[in-house]
Amino acid sequence: MAGHNANIVWHRTTVTKQDRQKTKGNKSAVLWFTGLSGAGKSTLANEVERRLHERGMHTYLLDGDNIRHGINKDLGFSPEDRAENIRRIGEVAKLFVDAGVLVLTAFISPYRADRALARGLVEDGEFIEIYVNCALEECEKRDPKGLYKKARTGEIPEFTGISSPYEEPEAPELIVKTDKKTLDESAEQVIAFLRKKGII
């Protein structure tokens, strides 16, 4: 791997993840919202975070567009850049989990292998893949950013769902059908799952 140096040794810290969780009063985990553009990932993640925050949980939301304004602003949308985008997010999410925070990530993250890599960065039970499932036709109808229209005319090459593939999760922890449920129902489904799993 580029940048890897055999002389670098992991330094163990005195304060552990469990110590930080105790201080914060909640378990930490990654809530990984994946789905097509326009499926409602960011909207749902925002609403779930709002509800968790109201319960006094320590949270942080990483949103795809926002991250591309900062840490990933040097990346495009080729398959290689998409993979690197998700790799970096996975590493950032891992740091939040270690800090004792419930981190929510809203990214298309179209490839199963990249999501599996992000899952492998944290311990069992700390990665919750939430498939925000919405029919392509509905996503195109919504088209909140006008991206599908541009993709159909060829203005945006390599657009997920049109000219670039989206690999549906094979065994997500949760499937939320945002073309069948209201935002309130969708958010409550996520909260109920977290309660059932003892995360909140």
Side-chain angles (χ1 to χ4, degrees), residues 4 8 28 60 72 76 87 104 106 111 124 146 159 173 200:
H4 182 71
I8 296 174
S28 54
Y60 197 83
N72 288 347
R87 187 195 70 78
L104 302 86
Y111 303 121
D124 284 349
F159 188 77
E173 277 70 16
I200 62 172

Side-chain angles (χ1 to χ4, degrees), residues 3 35 40 49 53 62 64 70 73 78 85-86 109 113 122 124 132 141 148 158 174 176-177 183 189 191 195:
E49 187 188 29
H53 182 73
L62 299 170
K73 68 181 178 182
S78 69
N85 182 49
I86 298 307
S109 49
V122 293
D124 284 349
V132 183
K141 206 185 293 178
Y148 282 100
E158 300 179 299
L174 195 60
V176 182
K177 298 193 173 185
L183 177 58
Q189 184 184 350
I191 295 294
R195 206 181 289 121

Side-chain angles (χ1 to χ4, degrees), residues 43-69:
T43 303
L44 179 55
N46 265 287
E47 178 59 18
V48 169
E49 187 188 29
R50 186 187 70 76
R51 293 180 185 211
L52 291 171
H53 182 73
E54 279 182 354
R55 287 169 167 77
M57 305 285 152
H58 290 259
T59 62
Y60 197 83
L61 174 58
L62 299 170
D63 181 80
D65 282 354
N66 295 355
I67 290 291
R68 280 184 176 273
H69 277 92

Side-chain angles (χ1 to χ4, degrees), residues 54-199:
E54 279 182 354
R55 287 169 167 77
M57 305 285 152
H58 290 259
T59 62
Y60 197 83
L61 174 58
L62 299 170
D63 181 80
D65 282 354
N66 295 355
I67 290 291
R68 280 184 176 273
H69 277 92
I71 194 171
N72 288 347
K73 68 181 178 182
D74 60 323
L75 299 176
F77 292 90
S78 69
E80 297 76 21
D81 279 1
R82 286 178 187 271
E84 176 60 12
N85 182 49
I86 298 307
R87 187 195 70 78
R88 291 183 194 177
I89 297 316
E91 292 288 355
V92 171
K94 177 185 175 182
L95 293 175
F96 275 103
V97 170
D98 194 50
V101 174
L102 267 168
V103 58
L104 302 86
T105 75
F107 293 84
I108 294 172
S109 49
Y111 303 121
R112 291 187 193 112
D114 297 336
R115 297 193 301 266
L117 185 144
R119 181 186 291 273
L121 292 173
V122 293
E123 293 178 32
D124 284 349
E126 290 181 340
F127 189 93
I128 297 155
E129 187 174 30
I130 302 168
Y131 178 24
V132 183
N133 186 348
C134 183
L136 176 62
E137 299 73 33
E138 178 60 26
C139 291
E140 281 205 69
K141 206 185 293 178
R142 295 174 180 179
D143 203 10
K145 302 169 192 169
L147 300 177
Y148 282 100
K149 193 175 177 186
K150 288 181 179 177
R152 289 291 187 192
T153 60
E155 281 182 70
I156 303 177
E158 300 179 299
F159 188 77
T160 304
I162 304 298
S163 50
S164 189
Y166 176 77
E167 298 172 359
E168 291 188 5
E170 292 178 316
E173 277 70 16
L174 195 60
I175 299 173
V176 182
K177 298 193 173 185
T178 53
D179 53 357
K180 311 280 187 207
K181 292 176 182 258
T182 65
L183 177 58
D184 182 63
E185 290 168 338
S186 298
E188 190 46 46
Q189 184 184 350
V190 177
I191 295 294
F193 176 85
L194 297 176
R195 206 181 289 121
K196 181 182 170 189
K197 291 294 179 183
I199 291 166

